[in-house]
Amino acid sequence: DTGVSQDPRHKITKRGQNVTFRCDPISEHNRLYWYRQTLGQGPEFLTYFQNEAQLEKSRLLSDRFSAERPKGSFSTLEIQRTEQGDSAMYLCASSHGQGGSPLHFGNGTRLTVT
Amino acid sequence: GESVGLHLPTLSVQEGDNSIINCAYSNSASDYFIWYKQESGKGPQFIIDIRSNMDKRQGQRVTVLLNKTVKHLSLQIAATQPGDSAVYFCADTGANSKLTFGKGITLSVRP
């Protein structure tokens, strides 16, 4: 399968714990995006990378959130001191990065904070 | 088929009929538009895209229409099938390819 891969698919954690998600984009794609989606809503942009450089972060990305893409390939999204409001689907997408190229999404990581 | 705006969350159509899903966008600087389909438990799946220099684009059983004057986008699905049942999102983007999604419409296909 050469699509976007996310791990884990599901994560249940207790409030206050740290969690880390991984995304492996389509190999030839140089842009990688993180989105968050809550039930009944469209995905909301969190951040994106051009190769290893993080170029933009949403106001939704509080200081408890950090994303990295150290070698310009896979990316990790860490949430520290999780809160119940962090419960959501975290989606990763990648694209060629050229103007007008579609984002291809993974199947997400479903986070539940108890 | 029936047409609805993003203000109505559900569209129900008879199998075999045509479906029309409408979307209004707000950013007049948007130059690229995409329709996604999302099934339960999965990420959004690319259906079709269109650039702002076009007003119509056709794919297999799907057509996207763009009216930049009124900032309106529509997705037409011909001969709707049960497998088309899903939530559909329109999304638009500017220069940095950051997509902004609408809230989505649930398409339900009646057998």
Side-chain angles (χ1 to χ4, degrees):
Chain A
D1 185 354
T2 57
V4 177
S5 177
Q6 292 189 247
D7 183 70
R9 289 298 314 278
H10 304 275
K11 178 69 177 179
I12 299 173
T13 191
K14 293 184 177 179
R15 188 177 55 185
Q17 297 296 305
N18 300 343
V19 294
T20 300
F21 311 140
R22 177 182 170 119
C23 172
D24 288 90
I26 294 171
S27 58
E28 61 267 27
H29 286 179
N30 54 24
R31 284 200 177 181
L32 186 148
Y33 301 78
W34 286 99
Y35 280 77
R36 182 172 70 186
Q37 186 176 28
T38 53
L39 196 63
Q41 302 296 316
E44 297 173 295
F45 170 79
L46 293 178
T47 189
Y48 89 98
F49 293 82
Q50 172 86 24
N51 299 313
E52 66 275 11
Q54 188 172 16
L55 296 186
E56 186 174 345
K57 293 191 287 187
S58 163
R59 290 173 298 171
L60 295 175
L61 212 67
S62 76
D63 57 5
R64 296 185 296 106
F65 288 68
S66 62
E68 295 182 344
R69 195 184 184 196
K71 298 182 180 178
S73 56
F74 73 92
S75 175
T76 58
L77 177 68
E78 180 182 16
I79 309 174
Q80 296 181 327
R81 305 180 303 281
T82 52
E83 302 172 355
Q84 287 186 322
D86 297 332
S87 295
M89 174 77 85
Y90 290 84
L91 293 163
C92 178
S94 66
S95 75
H96 281 292
Q98 300 168 358
S101 57
L103 274 62
H104 296 271
F105 284 85
N107 284 327
T109 294
R110 167 76 63 190
L111 173 65
T112 302
V113 182
T114 62
Chain B
E2 299 175 12
S3 62
V4 294
L6 279 177
H7 307 290
L8 300 177
T10 303
L11 171 64
S12 180
V13 299
Q14 188 73 37
E15 180 178 357
D17 284 355
N18 296 334
S19 303
I20 301 174
I21 304 172
N22 295 315
C23 172
Y25 63 94
S26 59
N27 185 358
S28 57
S30 293
D31 58 5
Y32 180 58
F33 306 86
I34 308 178
W35 279 100
Y36 284 93
K37 171 187 179 183
Q38 188 173 26
E39 297 173 294
S40 181
K42 295 185 177 181
Q45 176 187 359
F46 170 82
I47 301 173
I48 191 167
D49 59 0
I50 188 167
R51 290 171 173 72
S52 58
N53 61 352
M54 303 171 66
D55 54 20
K56 181 179 180 179
R57 189 165 188 221
Q58 288 184 298
Q60 186 176 14
R61 284 201 306 119
V62 295
T63 300
V64 55
L65 299 176
L66 174 63
N67 185 330
K68 295 181 291 295
T69 302
V70 295
K71 291 186 283 187
H72 184 269
L73 192 68
S74 69
L75 177 70
Q76 301 176 0
I77 305 174
T80 312
Q81 302 171 358
D84 295 326
S85 294
V87 178
Y88 288 80
F89 293 98
C90 66
D92 62 287
T93 184
N96 67 0
S97 300
K98 182 184 73 176
L99 287 179
T100 300
F101 284 80
K103 287 186 177 180
I105 293 175
T106 299
L107 176 64
S108 177
V109 181
R110 304 187 301 271

